[in-house]
Amino acid sequence: MSLPQSVVSPPATPVVDAAAFLAQAAQHIGARRVLTQPADTAAFQQDWRGRYQGQALAVLQPGNTAEVAAVVALCAAHGVAVVPQGGNTGLTGGAVALPGRPAVLLNLSRLNRIRTVDPANNTLTAEAGCVLATVREAAASAGRQFPLLLGSVGSCQVGGLVSTNAGGTGVLRYGNMRQLVLGLEVVLPDGQVWNGLRALRKDNAGYDLKQLFIGAEGTLGVITAAVLALHPPLRQSASAGVGLASVQAAVDLLRLLQDHLGERIEAFEILSRSQVHLVQTQVPGLCSPLAASHPYLLLVEVAAPDAGWDAGAALEAALGHALEAGLAEDAALATDLAKAQRLWDLRHHISEANKRAGFTVSNDTSVPVGRLPEFIAQVTAQLEGEVPGITVCHAGHIGDGNIHVIGVLAREVYATPEACEAAAAQVNRIVHEASVALGGSISAEHGIGLMHVARLERSKPALDLALMRQLKAAFDPAGVMNPGKIFRE
Amino acid sequence: MSLPQSVVSPPATPVVDAAAFLAQAAQHIGARRVLTQPADTAAFQQDWRGRYQGQALAVLQPGNTAEVAAVVALCAAHGVAVVPQGGNTGLTGGAVALPGRPAVLLNLSRLNRIRTVDPANNTLTAEAGCVLATVREAAASAGRQFPLLLGSVGSCQVGGLVSTNAGGTGVLRYGNMRQLVLGLEVVLPDGQVWNGLRALRKDNAGYDLKQLFIGAEGTLGVITAAVLALHPPLRQSASAGVGLASVQAAVDLLRLLQDHLGERIEAFEILSRSQVHLVQTQVPGLCSPLAASHPYLLLVEVAAPDAGWDAGAALEAALGHALEAGLAEDAALATDLAKAQRLWDLRHHISEANKRAGFTVSNDTSVPVGRLPEFIAQVTAQLEGEVPGITVCHAGHIGDGNIHVIGVLAREVYATPEACEAAAAQVNRIVHEASVALGGSISAEHGIGLMHVARLERSKPALDLALMRQLKAAFDPAGVMNPGKIFRE
């Protein structure tokens, strides 16, 4: 919403001789790895959502860390901006080259080796271009599990996942990407290679430099490889759908389940009645596992590595306590894998259902878990009161305090792109103001990229912004690394 | 070892008028909170191990964040160094004021409020001076658990724990302090207060600034409060002693137990035969739970929040698999709490036993878990071959790859302080070189402080040191924050 395509102006006149610069780049990585023809670059230049059109001089495809370093050093010498890119699955335009100064898109996909797997240490070392699915398979082949999981598992890459501190469905149990990274290899803005590929769980020998680059969205350097933490594989799981009267009941139920099941809660996701209704009416064959409609439907999964533990019995017993305590109105255990799959299909078809129902405006908000009831009540009332023709849905990782507030706008009311954009801005303003007032975040997992720069400026205290800029200036004084992302250029 | 007391010279002539400066400090925090008499300051000026004697102009005891900010701003204006101090339980001299420039010891003990406990969000907010035991009690009172635990639980404080990224016995399951901190309040080197007291599990709105201050040992600012993550309380636990033929067996057993018990392994600690022998012979009443002596004794504890899970049965079943697989030579389950206590007493009396047996040199090393067998074999052979009169013991958090290599030096061979110091230097050199060669850390959990500055310089690549200095220079350009720690002044 923040930067419609029309704002993107034609490329500024480069201060460098583009042809000479690209010829030098070709000497480092090979001419066929320097893509300049629109037919070759189109898929890289536009972001995944089709919202931004990049203006890079070329897409460069280095094949290893040394080539990345050579290219970054060349860019630094010529003042050419470097925009790192992985699977190009980001949702905020973080891998788009802006106009205004010459830039290259540095696509890391060819750095796609799993360098080592160390089952004894529960780690593996993957290059930046490794696709998440490949990492998960490599872990599974060694009898381990890499628990990070998100929708783009088949195309998102390690470098992007680390750079955006990716979340996904496993955060409640395993943490964000930051908690799964033990070491990094990074090409610094001047082209030096920092080898921080350590594989230690305890290391207090000086500043933990890798933390700088995790979640920095490529603005401080180019991540070329990472040491990732593995977990034991799961051998037991069980899922259930639970009908709840309120968000408060979900918060209380989370605590009850944690008391009974500890860290074995693998997923704890909520859908509002409005959201369940939209999925049921828009996607044929999907329906709630419960006989009646409830204000909220909670989907919960428990899982564990031990074969001896009975996940279904444990979940059933814990839900029995919840029913007795009056926290749940109804509950249905998925008695086999097919039924569990159908349950989770409800969750996975939310985007599809909402798109069919109208123009959707989704937000990626987190607040402290205990503030969720207040937050949801407040934004729902305000959105319904102020935005005509809106259906307000809620869905998300409620166990992490991360809720997606989704406004579905009736097409008959919002018939033009301008009307949609204006309504979207209104929805976002209401949601962001409420979340910030409750100590929340305007971007729980998607990052800032290009899309949320102005919102970040509005929502963060001045001192936070000053400290961030101080960090950026210290490590990238020339501002060559992914300019215009996180910070306004 | 790195800075014998004799090296500490008398205080340099202050460039400020100390009396006038302290009078101004008294205006901010009250005259009785400015301690200058040796009788009042002695306990703060000397480190816990009695190795370093500090040279601060005064010990300041501010009572809240605003007073800390006022004092730090005053110091910045006068170029007076600020040495933050919590419970003064650090092991590397990190809270000692060096000679060479005027400095104050900023003791945070009076910032000792638990500001909030939020059981729904599984968080609490504690001021820097809160003692760890107090935090654990506050969590327990709210039906939660704060899992960090170390020997100095009754005196170490939150600010120091965050500043040193403390480890302890729960790292395998819960992570280091870094994994338990959701938000921070920090007084910056210029006296500004940064309010980063967020309580979110997912927040990708810009750089994660709190990471800078965690483990920075007070060199980038003064931590005044922290939001800490809580866990469900444990209701079930079981312990066992396991006899092993080798370190490799311990590594393999860890994986087997993780496969069977997942994250329910609460502790996984090893003692070499030599270490068990020293404890048994030096501390009356303590003995191994196993009938025979084995090359290694492993102590393992499993625990969980659910009342329905039988910890003893689960551990017994898993150890049965280990015996069948030939990974363990023998195993004894502690059948009641008293027996479990006696088992863990072996571990807790290591320092005492070793001190009785001779002059001890202990190291705080981590290596990737799979490299432990190689590391231990190598340093043992080298120490036994090169250091006369040494008994080499190993003990530690082997599940984290963190092993303490302990040389116990016979008093008859090492009769003078000089002989002890020389032998200690030799032991440390051998251990550090071996750990660095295997991708390990010279300081797994104790930090650098004053004691390991020279070692850090020798063991870290030049680029790492340059990046650390870059960070320091960016956030504390005048170098007022805890000078001489981590970096040579």
Side-chain angles (χ1 to χ4, degrees):
Chain A
M1 323 284 157
S2 53
L3 185 67
Q5 285 203 22
S6 58
V7 170
V8 178
S9 51
T13 313
V15 292
V16 291
D17 177 343
F21 168 80
L22 293 175
Q24 283 188 60
Q27 284 175 8
H28 290 300
I29 63 173
R32 70 192 183 101
R33 302 303 182 184
V34 178
L35 312 181
T36 54
Q37 297 304 309
D40 299 329
T41 63
F44 303 101
Q45 294 260 29
Q46 190 175 61
D47 77 309
W48 183 83
R49 279 185 164 171
R51 222 178 257 275
Y52 304 111
Q53 180 59 45
Q55 305 284 346
L57 296 176
V59 175
L60 307 185
Q61 299 176 305
N64 55 48
T65 302
E67 289 188 5
V68 173
V71 164
V72 171
L74 182 69
C75 289
H78 289 85
V80 171
V82 177
V83 180
Q85 182 180 71
N88 195 18
T89 61
L91 299 175
T92 61
V96 172
L98 289 170
R101 78 150 95 180
V104 293
L105 252 185
L106 194 66
N107 187 284
L108 279 299
S109 301
R110 289 182 62 227
L111 278 76
N112 60 0
R113 284 189 311 134
I114 303 283
R115 290 192 192 166
T116 58
V117 184
D118 182 349
N121 196 44
N122 277 321
T123 51
L124 66 73
T125 305
E127 293 185 342
C130 288
V131 169
L132 176 55
T134 308
V135 171
R136 289 172 56 91
E137 283 155 22
S141 299
R144 299 334 247 166
Q145 182 209 172
F146 183 64
L148 195 91
L149 185 58
L150 29 84
S152 56
V153 58
S155 47
C156 62
Q157 297 175 3
V158 165
L161 292 167
V162 177
S163 292
T164 58
N165 184 29
T169 55
V171 176
L172 181 63
R173 183 169 192 167
Y174 307 100
N176 297 283
M177 194 64 173
R178 188 180 296 277
Q179 280 78 49
L180 297 170
V181 173
L182 297 188
L184 288 180
E185 179 186 83
V186 180
V187 174
L188 302 172
D190 62 0
Q192 286 189 89
V193 180
W194 176 61
N195 180 352
L197 286 176
R198 301 170 78 74
L200 304 173
R201 279 179 178 70
K202 291 171 90 168
D203 181 12
N204 281 340
Y207 298 158
D208 189 359
L209 294 168
K210 68 176 178 288
Q211 303 297 340
L212 296 174
F213 305 100
I214 301 171
E217 304 190 26
T219 62
L220 298 177
V222 183
I223 292 168
T224 49
V227 180
L228 304 176
L230 307 180
H231 286 257
L234 300 171
R235 291 190 185 80
Q236 284 271 331
S237 73
S239 293
V242 185
L244 301 175
S246 65
V247 179
Q248 186 61 51
V251 171
D252 295 341
L253 180 59
L254 175 64
R255 175 159 173 177
L256 183 145
L257 291 185
Q258 285 176 327
D259 279 347
H260 281 90
L261 301 164
E263 57 280 89
R264 302 198 151 181
I265 305 170
E266 185 80 5
F268 192 86
E269 304 268 324
I270 205 169
L271 287 78
S272 63
R273 173 185 269 156
S274 52
Q275 185 62 72
V276 174
H277 176 75
L278 278 187
V279 176
Q280 289 188 152
T281 52
Q282 298 291 336
V283 186
L286 293 186
C287 66
S288 164
L290 304 175
S293 165
H294 302 268
Y296 289 92
L297 172 65
L298 185 89
L299 304 179
V300 58
E301 183 185 4
V302 299
D306 26 330
W309 188 68
D310 187 334
L315 180 56
E316 193 166 19
L319 290 176
H321 292 297
L323 287 163
E324 270 169 39
L327 286 181
E329 296 186 335
D330 192 10
L333 197 72
T335 46
D336 58 40
L337 276 179
K339 283 186 182 137
Q341 188 55 50
R342 283 178 54 203
L343 199 63
W344 286 101
D345 275 347
L346 280 171
R347 173 75 180 89
H348 298 142
H349 285 80
I350 286 176
S351 296
E352 184 184 336
N354 293 348
K355 266 180 200 158
R356 288 187 194 180
F359 177 76
T360 66
V361 186
S362 185
N363 270 277
D364 176 32
T365 307
S366 63
V367 295
V369 173
R371 312 304 293 269
L372 282 165
E374 192 178 349
F375 170 72
I376 290 177
Q378 187 187 323
V379 294
T380 305
Q382 210 178 337
L383 289 170
E384 288 177 351
E386 297 180 20
V387 185
I390 193 170
T391 302
V392 181
C393 298
H394 308 290
H397 322 297
I398 193 167
D400 311 312
N402 180 197
I403 194 88
H404 301 293
V405 177
I406 308 159
V408 181
L409 301 165
R411 289 219 173 73
E412 50 276 24
V413 181
Y414 300 91
T416 66
E418 293 73 25
C420 288
E421 286 294 326
Q426 189 185 8
V427 170
N428 291 336
R429 183 185 52 72
I430 289 169
V431 174
H432 292 149
E433 286 178 4
S435 68
V436 171
L438 292 170
S441 173
I442 62 161
S443 186
E445 54 180 358
H446 298 165
I448 298 302
L450 204 55
M451 187 180 286
H452 299 313
V453 170
R455 272 177 211 159
L456 188 73
E457 286 177 358
R458 284 196 301 270
S459 66
K460 278 274 180 192
L463 183 56
D464 289 64
L465 295 170
L467 290 170
M468 285 188 212
R469 283 193 178 277
Q470 219 166 310
L471 195 56
K472 169 76 172 172
F475 286 88
D476 181 24
V480 294
M481 287 308 312
N482 212 5
K485 316 303 157 48
I486 301 184
F487 310 99
R488 193 184 297 272
E489 232 201 322
Chain B
M1 324 285 155
S2 53
L3 185 68
Q5 286 203 20
S6 57
V7 170
V8 178
S9 52
T13 314
V15 292
V16 293
D17 177 341
F21 167 81
L22 293 175
Q24 283 188 60
Q27 285 176 7
H28 290 299
I29 64 172
R32 70 192 183 99
R33 302 303 183 184
V34 178
L35 312 181
T36 54
Q37 297 304 310
D40 299 329
T41 63
F44 303 101
Q45 293 261 28
Q46 189 175 62
D47 76 309
W48 184 83
R49 280 184 164 171
R51 222 178 259 274
Y52 304 110
Q53 180 59 46
Q55 305 283 347
L57 296 176
V59 176
L60 307 185
Q61 300 176 305
N64 54 49
T65 302
E67 289 187 3
V68 174
V71 165
V72 172
L74 183 69
C75 289
H78 289 85
V80 171
V82 177
V83 180
Q85 183 180 70
N88 195 18
T89 61
L91 299 176
T92 60
V96 172
L98 289 171
R101 78 150 96 181
V104 293
L105 251 186
L106 195 65
N107 187 284
L108 280 299
S109 300
R110 290 182 61 227
L111 279 77
N112 59 1
R113 284 189 313 134
I114 303 284
R115 291 192 190 165
T116 58
V117 183
D118 183 349
N121 197 43
N122 278 321
T123 51
L124 66 72
T125 305
E127 292 184 341
C130 288
V131 169
L132 176 55
T134 308
V135 172
R136 290 172 57 92
E137 282 155 22
S141 298
R144 301 331 249 166
Q145 182 210 172
F146 182 64
L148 195 91
L149 185 58
L150 31 84
S152 56
V153 58
S155 48
C156 63
Q157 298 174 4
V158 166
L161 291 167
V162 177
S163 292
T164 58
N165 184 29
T169 54
V171 176
L172 181 64
R173 183 167 191 167
Y174 307 100
N176 297 284
M177 194 65 174
R178 189 179 295 277
Q179 279 78 49
L180 297 169
V181 173
L182 298 187
L184 287 180
E185 179 185 84
V186 180
V187 173
L188 301 173
D190 62 0
Q192 287 190 89
V193 180
W194 176 61
N195 180 352
L197 286 176
R198 301 169 79 75
L200 304 173
R201 280 180 178 69
K202 290 171 90 167
D203 181 12
N204 281 338
Y207 297 158
D208 188 359
L209 294 168
K210 69 176 177 289
Q211 303 297 340
L212 295 174
F213 304 102
I214 301 172
E217 303 190 27
T219 62
L220 299 176
V222 184
I223 292 169
T224 50
V227 180
L228 304 175
L230 306 180
H231 286 257
L234 299 172
R235 290 191 187 79
Q236 283 271 332
S237 73
S239 293
V242 186
L244 301 175
S246 65
V247 179
Q248 186 62 50
V251 172
D252 295 340
L253 180 59
L254 174 64
R255 177 161 171 175
L256 183 145
L257 291 185
Q258 285 176 326
D259 279 346
H260 282 92
L261 301 163
E263 56 280 88
R264 301 197 153 181
I265 304 171
E266 186 78 6
F268 192 86
E269 305 268 324
I270 204 169
L271 287 78
S272 63
R273 172 184 271 158
S274 52
Q275 185 61 73
V276 174
H277 176 75
L278 278 187
V279 176
Q280 289 187 154
T281 52
Q282 298 290 336
V283 186
L286 293 185
C287 65
S288 164
L290 304 175
S293 165
H294 302 268
Y296 289 92
L297 172 65
L298 186 88
L299 303 179
V300 58
E301 183 185 4
V302 300
D306 25 329
W309 187 68
D310 187 335
L315 180 56
E316 193 167 19
L319 290 175
H321 292 297
L323 288 163
E324 269 169 43
L327 285 181
E329 296 186 336
D330 192 10
L333 198 71
T335 47
D336 58 41
L337 276 179
K339 284 188 181 134
Q341 188 55 50
R342 283 179 54 203
L343 198 63
W344 287 100
D345 275 346
L346 280 172
R347 172 76 179 89
H348 299 141
H349 285 80
I350 286 176
S351 297
E352 186 184 335
N354 293 348
K355 268 180 199 157
R356 289 188 194 180
F359 177 78
T360 66
V361 186
S362 185
N363 270 276
D364 175 33
T365 307
S366 63
V367 295
V369 174
R371 312 302 293 269
L372 282 165
E374 191 179 348
F375 171 71
I376 291 177
Q378 186 187 323
V379 294
T380 305
Q382 209 177 338
L383 289 169
E384 289 178 350
E386 298 180 21
V387 185
I390 194 170
T391 303
V392 181
C393 299
H394 308 289
H397 321 297
I398 193 167
D400 311 313
N402 180 196
I403 195 88
H404 301 293
V405 177
I406 308 159
V408 182
L409 301 166
R411 289 218 173 76
E412 52 274 24
V413 181
Y414 300 92
T416 65
E418 294 72 24
C420 288
E421 287 294 326
Q426 190 185 6
V427 170
N428 291 335
R429 183 186 51 73
I430 289 169
V431 174
H432 293 150
E433 286 177 3
S435 68
V436 171
L438 292 170
S441 173
I442 61 161
S443 186
E445 55 181 358
H446 298 165
I448 298 302
L450 204 55
M451 186 181 287
H452 300 311
V453 169
R455 274 177 211 159
L456 188 74
E457 286 178 357
R458 284 198 300 270
S459 66
K460 278 273 181 192
L463 182 55
D464 290 65
L465 295 169
L467 290 170
M468 286 187 210
R469 283 193 177 277
Q470 218 166 311
L471 194 58
K472 169 76 172 173
F475 286 87
D476 180 24
V480 294
M481 288 307 312
N482 212 5
K485 316 302 157 50
I486 300 184
F487 310 99
R488 194 184 296 270
E489 232 200 323

